[in-house]
Amino acid sequence: MRILRTFGLAWLLLLVDPGSSLSAEGYDPILSGKVTGVVDANTLQFAERRVQLAGVLPPTRERPEHGQAQDLLHSLTQGEYVWCLLIQEERPEPLRGFCYVRGGLDLADALVRRGLGRDCPRFSGGRYYLMETKSARRSMDMPDGCF
């Protein structure tokens, strides 16, 4: 099923012109391009926009895992073309979305599998819960905003 979902995403990304609008109100649900920086343990900087990874709760800044998460995102996105399927919200910045690199690698999934984040079901629908590590569950409290 995961392979089918990844291939479906890949075809969608190949068929959609990143500059085109897919809704009547001018909202484009896909942001793509080169990442110019990693702002936080779950936030990517594109040329003019920031995108926070949807569905993942990163370690707080006081924890050593915060820097590890930031380093991992940097290594996964450096020089890569990144696609983000955005969640439409009222707040202007940062945007929130599910972001992928070549081969369909889900960046939030990569953080959670390495124990550098937890599933935030309010935005993920529980898609990362089974990938959470025991150590992340013990060391990272889940805020009310994730439910």
Side-chain angles (χ1 to χ4, degrees):
M1 187 63 156
R2 182 177 168 92
I3 292 173
L4 181 60
R5 186 173 65 208
T6 301
F7 282 119
L9 171 66
W11 282 110
L12 172 69
L13 294 173
L14 288 173
L15 294 174
V16 174
D17 173 16
S20 70
S21 175
L22 295 180
S23 76
E25 297 176 13
Y27 174 75
D28 190 349
I30 297 176
L31 178 68
S32 60
K34 298 272 185 173
V35 171
T36 58
V38 176
V39 180
D40 204 351
N42 71 336
T43 306
L44 305 174
Q45 177 73 50
F46 288 83
E48 298 175 8
R49 307 297 299 264
R50 286 185 179 181
V51 178
Q52 188 177 62
L53 299 179
V56 65
L57 174 69
T60 58
R61 291 178 193 257
E62 305 82 48
R63 301 192 51 79
E65 295 91 348
H66 184 271
Q68 294 171 6
Q70 217 169 343
D71 291 346
L72 176 63
L73 281 181
H74 185 266
S75 69
L76 292 174
T77 60
Q78 185 176 14
E80 295 290 333
Y81 200 76
V82 177
W83 298 273
C84 296
L85 303 175
L86 303 176
I87 298 171
Q88 189 169 8
E89 294 184 291
E90 297 300 317
R91 67 184 187 151
E93 290 287 332
L95 300 169
R96 188 176 280 140
F98 298 98
C99 298
Y100 305 85
V101 292
R102 186 185 341 201
L105 175 67
D106 181 333
L107 294 173
D109 182 80
L111 289 173
V112 173
R113 285 180 185 269
R114 288 172 178 81
L116 301 174
R118 290 196 60 195
D119 178 59
C120 187
R122 177 178 175 199
F123 298 102
S124 73
R127 74 194 305 171
Y128 306 118
Y129 179 75
L130 294 177
M131 287 75 159
E132 284 186 3
T133 64
K134 290 179 184 177
S135 63
R137 285 185 184 152
R138 280 193 306 269
S139 65
M140 295 172 51
D141 293 329
M142 187 69 66
D144 292 337
C146 278
F147 295 105

